[in-house]
């Protein structure tokens, strides 16, 4: 028998499905009016938690419906599998060597232009809610001074490192004046959504860019575990386990139920946001982007949850829908987090500045795929100094063995360390680096990676072949 919550959830999803269907025809072609942008930004969410990517858990009916009507990017990859660098890449359209945030605790310089700066100059209202993580360590974990807000000047309700100034049912944001906005007794995800609903109903002037930067499903740092809403871990107590986790030790046995609970609640909040856009008459002219900064491997690949070149760390969910994007399209090409900023500018009808290293995704959405380089370049810090390529078929990673991940931003010498054939081994259980029968493949990928490092970082590097399988 369905519980009342499940019944209401089902009717809400059906209502949203009908609402999105009605919006489909009118929003499938670009509007002459500049669209709004709403980024629903999650933290540390695996791509395979989403039904549209094949999850059997039924966690994301709202996002699945959005993906069916919009654009689902099947192979989206982060630029850096750790919070601050990935976020800097997202907002700037640049890699870490250009924006300077190559690890956590480094601030995004006020001199670096972001998508907020560009849209603000074009007349957009730019607002940000939630976790920022791009002010320098000396600023602290809470209030962020105006110069460190990345150009989000019109509306600001955020904490620099939200996981360190809040718990799942209590904590605080800070407004543009640095005053506390406290919450207690309400789940953190729901609280951020409440603030976003207020923006959409009372504050936001069109056209607008609104970022809702959730902490979930990221772990609660000081508790060293994931925390879903009350009762949700019991709901998912016997979960489906992704195949990349099953044979490996880690803490997924105890963490998956709460992790899945976080994802389910995020989807319910996405439904609230879409309903609010519809109620305010903004749904048809708003581009909705659902994306995460990186994934999670539950301590199966190293001593923590990310900072590795594996799919569980680097592959992310990415769905775009709304004004001009309701095309019922799946994009199979490899795309990167760094491509989102130039995409938003092109959709807004703005020039993409030359300093952006990402590429607009609009040609792929129009299926103009000629010349698209079907690979993503990944830089890895903190756990190690590494560089990787994620192609359609292979993941190739080289590690700077003499460098320290927290202290060294780059190296001029690497050793190949990981090679996975994703066609034969999609769960990356067999490392092929150093195997004689893959020498030709490794040599080709080695040169391609050297070329990308040269192009992105402006460095000539040496990559030594793996002498023996690591």
């Amino acid at each position: 028998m369905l519980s009342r919550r499940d019944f209401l959830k089902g009717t809400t999803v059906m209502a949203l499905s009908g609402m999105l269907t009605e919006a489909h025809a009118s929003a499938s072609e670009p509007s002459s009016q500049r669209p709004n942008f709403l980024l629903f930004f999650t933290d540390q969410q695996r791509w395979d938690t989403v039904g549209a990517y094949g999850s059997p858990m039924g966690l994301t009916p709202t996002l699945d419906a959005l993906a069916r009507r919009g654009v689902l990017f099947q192979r989206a990859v982060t630029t850096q599998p750790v919070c601050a660098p990935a976020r800097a890449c997202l907002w700037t359209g640049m890699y870490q060597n250009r924006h300077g945030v190559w690890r956590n605790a480094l601030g995004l310089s006020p001199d670096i232009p972001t998508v907020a700066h560009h849209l603000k100059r074009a007349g957009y209202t730019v607002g940000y809610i939630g976790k920022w993580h791009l002010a320098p360590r000396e600023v602290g974990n809470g209030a962020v001074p105006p110069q460190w807000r990345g150009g989000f000047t019109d509306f600001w309700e955020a904490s620099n490192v939200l996981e360190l100034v809040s718990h799942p049912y209590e904590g605080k944001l800070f407004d543009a004046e640095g005053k506390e906005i406290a919450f207690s007794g309400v789940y953190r995800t729901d609280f951020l959504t409440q603030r976003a609903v207020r923006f959409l109903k009372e504050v936001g002037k069109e056209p607008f860019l609104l970022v809702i930067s959730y902490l979930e499903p990221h772990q609660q740092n000081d508790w060293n575990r994931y925390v879903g809403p009350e009762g949700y871990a019991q709901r998912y107590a016997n979960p489906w386990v992704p195949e990349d986790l099953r044979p490996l030790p880690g803490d997924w046995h105890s963490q998956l139920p709460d992790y899945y609970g976080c994802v389910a609640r995020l989807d319910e909040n996405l439904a609230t946001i879409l309903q609010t856009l519809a109620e305010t008459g903004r749904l048809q002219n708003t581009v909705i982007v659902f994306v995460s900064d990186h994934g999670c491997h539950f301590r199966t690949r190293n001593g923590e949850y990310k900072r590795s070149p594996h799919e569980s760390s680097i592959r992310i969910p990415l769905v775009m829908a709304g004004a001009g994007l309701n095309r019922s399209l799946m994009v199979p090409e490899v795309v990167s987090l760094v491509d989102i900023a130039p995409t938003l500018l092109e959709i807004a009808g703005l020039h993409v500045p030359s300093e952006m290293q990402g590429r607009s995704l609009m040609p792929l959405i129009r299926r103009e795929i000629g010349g698209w380089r079907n690979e993503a370049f990944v830089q890895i810090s903190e756990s190690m100094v590494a560089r990787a390529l994620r192609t359609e078929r292979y993941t190739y990673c080289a590690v700077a063995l003499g460098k320290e991940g927290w202290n060294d931003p780059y190296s001029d010498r690497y050793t190949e360390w990981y090679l996975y054939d994703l066609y034969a081994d999609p769960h990356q259980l067999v490392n092929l680096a150093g195997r004689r029968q893959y020498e030709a493949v490794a040599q080709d990928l080695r040169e391609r990676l050297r070329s990308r490092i040269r192009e992105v970082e402006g460095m000539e590097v040496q990559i030594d072949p793996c002498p023996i399988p690591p």
Side-chain angles (χ1 to χ4, degrees), residues 301-340:
R301 305 293 185 167
N302 57 33
E304 41 98 288
Y305 292 110
K306 54 223 177 199
R307 299 179 180 92
S308 86
H310 300 88
E311 291 284 274
S312 47
S313 281
I314 68 173
R315 194 167 172 187
I316 54 176
L318 176 57
V319 173
M320 295 184 179
L325 294 174
N326 287 341
R327 304 184 182 217
S328 297
L329 177 67
M330 291 191 294
V331 173
E333 287 80 17
V334 180
V335 304
S336 174
L337 193 69
V338 78
D339 299 327
I340 292 177

Side-chain angles (χ1 to χ4, degrees), residues 79 95 97 334 336 338-339 357-359 373-379 387-391 445-459 461 463:
T79 48
Y95 290 97
N97 50 286
V334 180
S336 174
V338 78
D339 299 327
Q357 296 166 291
R359 304 160 293 177
R373 184 166 48 192
N374 203 15
E375 64 185 30
F377 176 58
V378 180
Q379 298 161 306
R387 301 292 183 263
L389 273 186
R390 204 306 193 166
T391 74
L445 292 168
R446 188 182 311 135
E447 292 308 311
R448 287 170 65 176
L449 181 56
R450 290 184 68 240
S451 176
R452 290 307 300 274
I453 295 171
R454 183 186 309 118
E455 173 191 332
V456 172
E457 301 182 7
M459 293 183 62
V461 303
I463 301 179

